[in-house]
Structures are given as structure tokens and as C-alpha cells.
Amino acid sequence: MRTLILSGVVMFLAVTAIVAQQAPAPAGGGRGRGGGAPPGINWPSPPLADGPLMIDTGLVRPIKIAITKGLRQPWSMAFVPDAAGGFATLVTERGGKLRIIRNGVLDPTPIDGLPADIQASGLAGLMDIQLHPKFADNKLVYITYHKRQAGAAPAAPPAGQGRGAPAPPGVITLVRGRWDGTKLVDVKDIFTAIPSGNASRILFLRDGTLVMSVGYGDPPQANDGNPNPETMPPQDPKELAGKTLRLKDDGTVPADNPFVGKAGYRPEIYTLGHRNILGLAINPVTGAVWSVENGPNGGDEVNELMPGRNYGWPVVGNGRFYLGPRVSVDPFRQNMEPPVAFWVPAIAPSGLAFYTGDRFPQWKNNLFVGGMRQGEVPRSGHLERFDFNDKWEELHREGMLRELQQRIRDVRQAPDGALYLLTAEDNGALLRIEPGS
Amino acid sequence: MRTLILSGVVMFLAVTAIVAQQAPAPAGGGRGRGGGAPPGINWPSPPLADGPLMIDTGLVRPIKIAITKGLRQPWSMAFVPDAAGGFATLVTERGGKLRIIRNGVLDPTPIDGLPADIQASGLAGLMDIQLHPKFADNKLVYITYHKRQAGAAPAAPPAGQGRGAPAPPGVITLVRGRWDGTKLVDVKDIFTAIPSGNASRILFLRDGTLVMSVGYGDPPQANDGNPNPETMPPQDPKELAGKTLRLKDDGTVPADNPFVGKAGYRPEIYTLGHRNILGLAINPVTGAVWSVENGPNGGDEVNELMPGRNYGWPVVGNGRFYLGPRVSVDPFRQNMEPPVAFWVPAIAPSGLAFYTGDRFPQWKNNLFVGGMRQGEVPRSGHLERFDFNDKWEELHREGMLRELQQRIRDVRQAPDGALYLLTAEDNGALLRIEPGS
């Protein structure tokens, strides 16, 4: 393996001719589509170098990035012990495969044991993966996925046979299985949420229960005749859409959930008023649940999730419909939780991790968020780092790895103290980040 | 001149070794300074190539960038007719020189006729330059600068002689002169505002009056014992700090200013409640005055300035003190104007121009804002483009020219329909942008 030394500036001079060929010129003028929305900007992410790469960041110079390629739209990862006393990385691919990487090498054979009825379409499919907190003893693995509805045809017709009628959206489902060292066994759906094209992340809390997000999208774009945002699903306590749920590790409802026994409320609900949560993490100091949520056009949020609280979507927020009007007239209301941090313009955040290891003392307790934004040239996918004061108020955020022009889907701290990223690309990769000196 | 073809990705591989040597490693851990603020990230902008450069943007592929180097902290520019029927570009340098560029070539000799008492220190010095709307007839040129207070020593002591006592801040002053084709003559201060280390931009309105901004900084950072933000200078109608002013072209007050004759109000005031305005432009369709304003840590704003209105600083806003707490508890209030657009995190905007020319049909009536943000590696200085719908609601913003890693101080459309930029660098440059194909 040859190490490329790139001093923070970088870049892929060797591949630019290829990139230029791949990127068609955009069509037409600035307001060509639908009388209002701007045209899409078509610019594929350039191929990654093989690595390892050495690049500078604001505080750590350089970092070393080892790259494992061959993943197709990787979505989430979990770390399982391997036979040698180290660990291997399980990676979900949205299309419906579970892969394993050992010592930086992707096993060409997917892991057996996933549910057979994963419906991969749009942004849906195989989603998050998490280990039970007592995984060392019970080997339990939890996965969220979109389950094909009974009787529905497979979503992706064979090539050349046309699209047919669109399949109904898959049902966001929590499945539990057991890792036997080479595959998943005893796989069983333990909770069924709702049909949805949006995402679902999961996170175990310190009390052994888990939080599961159920995404909801946008209300209709027209301003006139909209349904009242205050009665839409994310605000409706009888619905699971646009919520986080709290469940026991067998998928049942804990007796101490905030709305248990309250008429008109689903007892699974932990928090209300979310759009599409794409990252969950435990604050290592306070123990609080933090989340990151995609806004519409602007208004991406980091939130601290407190049981029973309402986070406002789509009643309050800082985003806009893609045709221009604000989604919410008010950026905040007294009875709705303001974000810990937000982004305007959007970065399309996905993946969330606090760094708690010893390998990057400069990053201790910093928060990392992946960015998947498209529509800019060069591509604006990157990794965002937050530094907070002792009250968890934001001090600074640093956009990192913009040189790579890769959309970042997931961020995890591995058992070895390295920071692991997954790129949200068809030709996706695992990036393993450690200090470069 | 050799043309570099850079396909939007790229950059400056040849200079990275130099850059790495220039960038010292940051000191210490994530919370090393003052018990709360993060350490500064020291990363000089890399040198620009000589150009011309061909690079891709989202909608225009490629653009051609011609580069004129040799400017030291250039701040603003104006276009004056030259003898050949074309135009030359006058450029202010913050340090106190007025330069001229003809056909892409910087004249090594500065222009004569500036005031002798420009006080360049901190971020202050020679600021904005604008031509009178009837410049073709009257040759009048307007400039803002920080004027050394009477009796104060020059701000910059000779090298090696120490700093001595800091000079009191210069007084923001509007000066008018006449361009005789080679120099400024008949130069006269026509309005004196306040001592301030903050910026001042000027803009002529369609009625022949001009708007002049007078920047104000941050209230004290501690949360306890702060003065009431509602009585601080930007909210105090008896003070000029944190305001825009409207003046006649001789520096006197128009009789139809919003607060003329109102007790307790300075009659010069056009709008209230600003932090530090670093760009002013006329919306070419509506005729409204638009501004761009630096927030503290987050909360940079684009505003539409309406006479007599209050834009909220420091009572409302989306920014934070550098130690973490929000400056304003509320992001908005009913009697204060919300921004047209804002940024969180900050981009440190400077320079504002609507593109109205024919050379970039894709950018017609788009808004361009320079970005000067520091503290990221690679440097995050860039040019931001906004596209709006017919109600001037934001559709999209595109971060452009990030590859160059240059902070952008000013943006203007030149008489030839090209877009001109100035970089906010010690080794600054004029960038002339035209279609590349």
C-alpha cells in the first residue's frame, strides 16, 4: 500500500479528467423547473483514492485515513469481537446486505441471516445496526429495516422490465438476532412501526432500554390549504410517525414511558415532533440522548431528547419548502424544545458520535456528525466536529474532510479508539481515521 | 500566461509542501484557552495560482478566473471609465492606499489624494468606495474610512519600537472627492460618525441619497451583570452605533428620513439594531436595499433594509458568544425584522452583489456574498450564491470557489458583465470571473 501525503489541501489531480467526463452540464437557467424551484446540480462525488491518506485538520495534523472500498450505499456499522481478540466491523448496506470487514479487508461474501423481506427503494431499505449492551453475554444484535408489506411485489423490477406500479412503502421494523460468530441466527421482528420512506436509527440507553426513531417527511409544499401543522402526524400523539420510541430489549413498552396510560397517546412514544432523525448518540458526560435530524431546506438540528418533550416539527423550525416559503412561521415556541445546534443552510446530517477515546485527546468529548449535502460543486459532503463548553453550549464547529468530496452517512468510535466513517455513495467506503503522527 | 485547467476538484498540489511549512501545529487540547473558548485554528490561506484558472461551479462549467495579485488586504472596488472607452478598477486597501488596475494589471503607484489621517488598525482603516450615481457628469467618489482622532499618535509604531499605548479607535468618516482621471482632488470629509473598530459600507439609493452603515460589536460576553441589551447602542436611537444612516450626497440629512423631528432620535438613522454590516446592494427588481451583516458566532444575516425598522441586534439573533452562551435569548420578536436569510454556522460574510448582466444567464438576479470564515482546514473562505423565487424567498444557496481557500472580502459586477471579487488576504488579489466556454 502506498501512502499519499496530502497536506490538507490536496486532491485527486489524477482523477479529475474522469470526473469532468462524468459530470454533465446542468440544464438551463436559474429558475427552470416548475416555475420556481432551482434546477438540480448534477455532480457525482469523485472517486476516492485507495489510501491511506494523510491530511491535515484544524486540530490534528495530520490524520491518517485507511480506506476499505467495495461497499454499496453503506448505512450503519457495529463492532463485534473476532477470534483473535480484536474486532470486526459489521456494515449494513441499504440495498439489503450485511457485510463484514476484518483488518481493513471487506469479505466478499455477505453475512447470512437477514430478514428475507427487506424492501430497498428510494432512501429506504436496510438501516441501523446496534449491539445489545450485554452483547458479550447474549450476542444480541438489533437492526432496523423497511419490511415489504404483505402481498406487495419486490420494489426493484429486473432490469429491462420497466418499473411497473410503485410498491407501497415498506414498514419500519425492528428485528433482533443473535451473532454466532459468522452469521445472524434466531432472527425475529420484535417491533413494527409504520409504512414510511424515511429512516430509523436505534440507540441503547444506559438503563437497557432502546430508543428508535421513526422518520416523517414534509407537509405539502403549498402554503394555501395545508393541513394544520399542529394536527399532522409528527404532532399527533396517536401516530408513530415523526417520533422517537422507547422500547425494552424485547420490543415491548417499558412501564415508565412518558405517556403510558395517557388517553390518546401511543405508549411507545419517547419524544414528539421530529422530521427525519439520522443519528443518535449518548452524551458521555451527562448520559443524555442526543439526536441529529435532517431539516427540509435548512433547519437541520442537533437535539437533546428528553422524555415526553415536543421538538416542534413541522410547527416550528428554521427550514424552507423547496419552492421557497418557510415551513414554519415561527422558529420557536415556548412549549417546544429548541435545538442544541442547527444548520442553515442544510448539511443533510447523518451519523452521530461523541469521541471518548484516548487516541485523539484534542477531540475528547467532541461531537461528530456526517454531512451528506449535495447540490454543490465541489461536493460538500464532509465531517462536522463540535466543541462545547462545560454547559454543552456550542463553542465552535469545524467542517472537516471537505477535500474528499464524499457524503458521510455514519460516524462511530471503534473499540480501538479510531473514528470510523461510512460514505453515502454507490461506490461506498469505510474510512478509518487515526492520528497520522 | 498559462491557463490551468482544473475541473472543479483540485488544487495546488505543487504548493502544498510550502503550505505545510507555513502552518504551525495548533497548541494543546480542545478547551485550552480561558477555561472555555476553543483554541484558535491557525491555517494560512494557501497562495493562489497565477491563473487564469478554469473551474467548474454548480451551474456554470467552467468559469474562467483571471487573477491580479499584489494587493494588500483589499477591501472594496469601484469602476471608472478609462481613456480607451473601457474602465479601470479602483481598489481600496485597508491599510490606507487606493490602487488602480487597468486591463488586469495593477499599477505599482497608489492613487494620490486620499485623506492623510487614515488610521489602519485591527479591522479598521480605509473601507468602502462608491461612485456618485451621476459620476459621468460630476466625477464624485465617496469613501469611508477610520479617521485618526485629533492628537492621537499614528496607530502603527515603527517596527522594533514596541507598541506603546494603543491608539483610540478611529472615527468612521465619509469623505467625498473628485476623480480627475488619475487622482482624487477636492477631497473633503462630509460626514463624521463615531469612533469604532467596526466597518462602514456605503450605497447610493435610486433617489440619489446614500445609505452608510456604522458597525457595532458585541455586548460583554458574561451573562451575569450585562447591560440590558435593549438599551445598548445599536438599540439606542440617540446613538449612531449599530445603525444604517441615510444622507444626501453632500453629507447632510434628508428631510424625509424616518426619524427627522422625532425627539430622542438621531435624524440620520435609516435602520436600527445592526451588528457589523459588510455589504450593501440594491435589489435590481424591487429596488429595495439589501445588506449582509456579520453575526457573532453564528447568526450572520441578509436583511432587506426598510426605513425606520429595527433589525434586533443584540436583542434578537441566532448567534452565540465565543464562550458559548446565546447572545439573544429569543431568535425573533414581533417588532423586529427577521432576516431574509441567515447562516448558522457563520461564514463571516462580506461584499454583496446581485448579478444583473448578460454574461451569466444562469445567475440572473442571483445574490452573491463573499465568505471570510477562518478556523477550518482547508480554509473555508468562499463565494456564496443565492437563488430566490418570485417572492424573494430563498430557493437554494451554493458555496462556490472553496477550492481556492481564499477569504472573499468584496463582490461587484463590473461594467463588462464579469463578476469581480477581492480576497481578504495580506497577499490579496482581484479575481475576475467570466464564463469559461
Side-chain angles (χ1 to χ4, degrees):
Chain A
M1 228 167 353
R2 186 167 146 265
T3 298
L4 295 177
I5 306 287
L6 305 174
S7 72
V9 189
V10 180
M11 315 270 179
F12 306 178
L13 207 51
V15 304
T16 55
I18 298 166
V19 173
Q21 288 170 3
Q22 288 177 337
R31 296 188 190 174
R33 184 191 293 174
I41 293 175
N42 185 350
W43 182 264
S45 295
L48 266 175
D50 287 333
L53 305 176
M54 303 285 277
I55 70 173
D56 285 338
T57 71
L59 296 183
V60 184
R61 301 180 192 172
I63 59 172
K64 179 180 176 184
I65 309 178
I67 298 174
T68 302
K69 296 185 175 181
L71 296 163
R72 186 169 177 82
Q73 294 190 24
W75 216 91
S76 178
M77 56 189 143
F79 307 100
V80 291
D82 68 8
F87 65 91
T89 307
L90 294 174
V91 178
T92 58
E93 292 180 321
R94 191 183 59 74
K97 289 181 181 164
L98 183 61
R99 311 295 298 272
I100 191 163
I101 295 171
R102 301 180 189 89
N103 297 317
V105 179
L106 175 65
D107 190 326
T109 307
I111 297 294
D112 274 339
L114 283 180
D117 46 4
I118 297 169
Q119 175 169 313
S121 55
L123 299 172
L126 186 59
M127 301 267 105
D128 211 6
I129 181 168
Q130 289 284 327
L131 306 186
H132 191 285
K134 295 182 177 167
F135 176 86
D137 303 321
N138 61 27
K139 309 297 183 197
L140 292 178
V141 176
Y142 292 74
I143 290 174
T144 46
Y145 73 104
H146 293 80
K147 186 184 183 75
R148 186 160 44 251
Q149 295 193 41
Q161 300 190 19
R163 285 183 167 263
V171 177
I172 292 178
T173 300
L174 176 65
V175 63
R176 184 181 70 186
R178 196 163 50 79
W179 176 245
D180 77 353
T182 61
K183 61 184 182 300
L184 292 178
V185 295
D186 303 338
V187 168
K188 181 186 170 191
D189 294 342
I190 60 169
F191 185 79
T192 300
I194 55 164
S196 172
N198 290 285
S200 179
R201 289 272 188 192
I202 44 179
L203 174 74
F204 275 93
L205 309 188
R206 289 179 173 174
D207 65 4
T209 64
L210 66 86
V211 163
M212 172 178 171
S213 71
V214 181
Y216 181 77
D218 295 352
Q221 291 210 358
N223 260 352
D224 300 334
N226 270 358
N228 180 353
E230 304 195 33
T231 62
M232 294 192 69
Q235 292 292 321
D236 184 344
K238 297 186 299 297
E239 298 207 32
L240 298 184
K243 309 292 191 308
T244 67
L245 317 179
R246 180 166 167 264
L247 303 172
K248 294 201 282 190
D249 65 0
D250 61 359
T252 62
V253 176
D256 59 348
N257 262 7
F259 300 118
V260 165
K262 185 166 182 179
Y265 283 73
R266 289 285 299 246
E268 300 92 342
I269 295 174
Y270 188 63
T271 58
L272 299 84
H274 300 287
R275 192 168 175 270
N276 201 13
I277 288 178
L278 284 166
L280 290 167
I282 297 285
N283 180 312
V285 177
T286 68
V289 182
W290 284 40
S291 67
V292 69
E293 174 169 340
N294 272 230
N297 186 11
D300 302 337
E301 297 182 352
V302 173
N303 286 300
E304 178 179 329
L305 301 184
M306 291 174 282
R309 301 292 180 89
N310 187 334
Y311 292 80
W313 177 259
V315 179
V316 301
N318 282 299
R320 292 184 177 276
F321 289 115
Y322 292 99
L323 294 174
R326 290 184 63 95
V327 174
S328 315
V329 175
D330 303 332
F332 84 115
R333 284 197 190 174
Q334 289 299 340
N335 60 338
M336 291 178 179
E337 299 303 317
V340 172
F342 64 96
W343 289 267
V344 175
I347 69 161
S350 185
L352 192 68
F354 287 90
Y355 184 78
T356 62
D358 295 326
R359 300 209 62 194
F360 295 103
Q362 305 94 325
W363 292 347
K364 193 80 170 184
N365 293 332
N366 283 190
L367 183 71
F368 289 84
V369 184
M372 305 191 298
R373 186 170 178 199
Q374 307 186 60
E376 295 193 324
V377 178
R379 273 285 185 116
S380 42
H382 68 286
L383 178 66
E384 196 122 330
R385 180 183 68 84
F386 285 82
D387 193 13
F388 298 94
N389 68 14
D390 294 338
K391 295 176 180 173
W392 296 97
E393 297 165 325
E394 176 185 346
L395 290 174
H396 183 260
R397 59 184 102 167
E398 176 192 1
M400 297 167 54
L401 308 188
R402 289 188 190 273
E403 308 95 322
L404 304 183
Q405 298 196 69
Q406 302 292 303
R407 305 169 64 224
I408 306 296
R409 168 64 77 182
D410 205 14
V411 188
R412 308 275 176 185
Q413 180 183 326
D416 62 358
L419 197 64
Y420 277 45
L421 312 180
L422 294 173
T423 67
E425 307 287 351
D426 286 347
N427 297 309
L430 170 72
L431 310 184
R432 178 178 182 276
I433 301 178
E434 59 182 336
S437 59
Chain B
M1 231 172 342
R2 185 165 149 267
T3 298
L4 294 177
I5 307 287
L6 304 175
S7 71
V9 190
V10 183
M11 293 298 161
F12 305 173
L13 209 49
V15 304
T16 54
I18 298 165
V19 172
Q21 287 170 2
Q22 289 178 337
R31 297 189 189 171
R33 185 191 291 174
I41 292 175
N42 185 349
W43 182 264
S45 294
L48 266 174
D50 287 334
L53 305 176
M54 305 283 277
I55 71 172
D56 286 338
T57 72
L59 296 181
V60 184
R61 300 179 192 175
I63 59 172
K64 179 180 175 182
I65 309 177
I67 299 174
T68 302
K69 297 184 174 182
L71 296 163
R72 186 169 177 80
Q73 295 191 24
W75 216 91
S76 178
M77 56 190 143
F79 308 101
V80 291
D82 68 9
F87 66 92
T89 306
L90 294 175
V91 179
T92 58
E93 291 179 323
R94 191 183 59 73
K97 290 181 181 166
L98 182 62
R99 311 296 298 270
I100 190 164
I101 295 171
R102 302 181 188 87
N103 297 318
V105 179
L106 174 65
D107 190 326
T109 307
I111 297 293
D112 274 339
L114 283 180
D117 45 5
I118 298 168
Q119 176 170 314
S121 55
L123 298 172
L126 186 60
M127 302 266 108
D128 211 5
I129 181 167
Q130 289 283 327
L131 306 186
H132 192 282
K134 296 182 176 167
F135 176 86
D137 303 321
N138 62 26
K139 310 296 183 197
L140 292 178
V141 176
Y142 293 73
I143 291 174
T144 45
Y145 73 105
H146 293 80
K147 185 183 183 76
R148 186 163 39 251
Q149 295 193 43
Q161 299 189 20
R163 287 183 166 264
V171 177
I172 292 178
T173 300
L174 176 65
V175 64
R176 183 179 71 185
R178 194 162 52 76
W179 176 245
D180 77 353
T182 60
K183 62 184 182 299
L184 292 178
V185 295
D186 302 337
V187 168
K188 181 186 170 194
D189 293 342
I190 61 170
F191 185 79
T192 299
I194 56 163
S196 172
N198 291 284
S200 179
R201 289 273 188 192
I202 44 179
L203 174 73
F204 275 94
L205 309 187
R206 289 177 173 176
D207 66 5
T209 63
L210 67 86
V211 163
M212 172 178 173
S213 70
V214 181
Y216 181 76
D218 295 351
Q221 291 209 358
N223 260 350
D224 300 334
N226 271 358
N228 179 354
E230 304 194 33
T231 62
M232 294 191 69
Q235 292 292 321
D236 183 345
K238 296 186 299 297
E239 299 208 30
L240 298 184
K243 309 292 190 309
T244 69
L245 317 179
R246 181 167 167 263
L247 303 172
K248 293 202 282 191
D249 64 0
D250 62 359
T252 62
V253 176
D256 60 350
N257 262 6
F259 300 117
V260 165
K262 185 165 180 179
Y265 283 73
R266 288 287 300 247
E268 301 92 342
I269 294 175
Y270 188 62
T271 57
L272 300 83
H274 299 286
R275 191 167 177 270
N276 200 12
I277 288 178
L278 284 167
L280 289 167
I282 297 285
N283 181 311
V285 177
T286 67
V289 181
W290 285 38
S291 67
V292 69
E293 174 169 340
N294 273 230
N297 185 11
D300 301 339
E301 296 182 352
V302 174
N303 286 301
E304 179 179 328
L305 300 184
M306 293 174 282
R309 302 292 179 92
N310 187 335
Y311 291 79
W313 177 259
V315 178
V316 302
N318 281 300
R320 293 183 177 277
F321 290 114
Y322 292 99
L323 294 174
R326 291 183 62 95
V327 175
S328 315
V329 174
D330 303 334
F332 85 115
R333 283 195 191 176
Q334 289 300 339
N335 61 339
M336 293 178 176
E337 299 304 317
V340 173
F342 64 94
W343 289 267
V344 175
I347 70 161
S350 184
L352 191 69
F354 287 90
Y355 184 78
T356 62
D358 295 325
R359 302 209 61 196
F360 295 103
Q362 305 96 324
W363 291 346
K364 193 81 170 184
N365 292 333
N366 285 191
L367 183 70
F368 289 84
V369 184
M372 305 191 298
R373 187 172 177 198
Q374 307 187 58
E376 295 193 324
V377 178
R379 274 281 186 122
S380 43
H382 68 287
L383 178 67
E384 195 123 329
R385 180 183 68 84
F386 284 82
D387 192 15
F388 297 94
N389 69 15
D390 294 339
K391 294 177 181 172
W392 296 98
E393 296 165 325
E394 175 185 347
L395 290 174
H396 183 258
R397 61 185 100 167
E398 177 192 1
M400 297 167 55
L401 308 188
R402 290 187 190 273
E403 308 95 321
L404 304 184
Q405 298 194 69
Q406 302 292 303
R407 304 168 65 221
I408 306 296
R409 168 64 76 183
D410 204 16
V411 189
R412 308 274 176 185
Q413 179 181 326
D416 61 358
L419 197 63
Y420 278 45
L421 312 181
L422 294 174
T423 67
E425 307 287 352
D426 288 346
N427 297 308
L430 170 72
L431 310 184
R432 178 178 181 276
I433 300 177
E434 60 183 337
S437 60

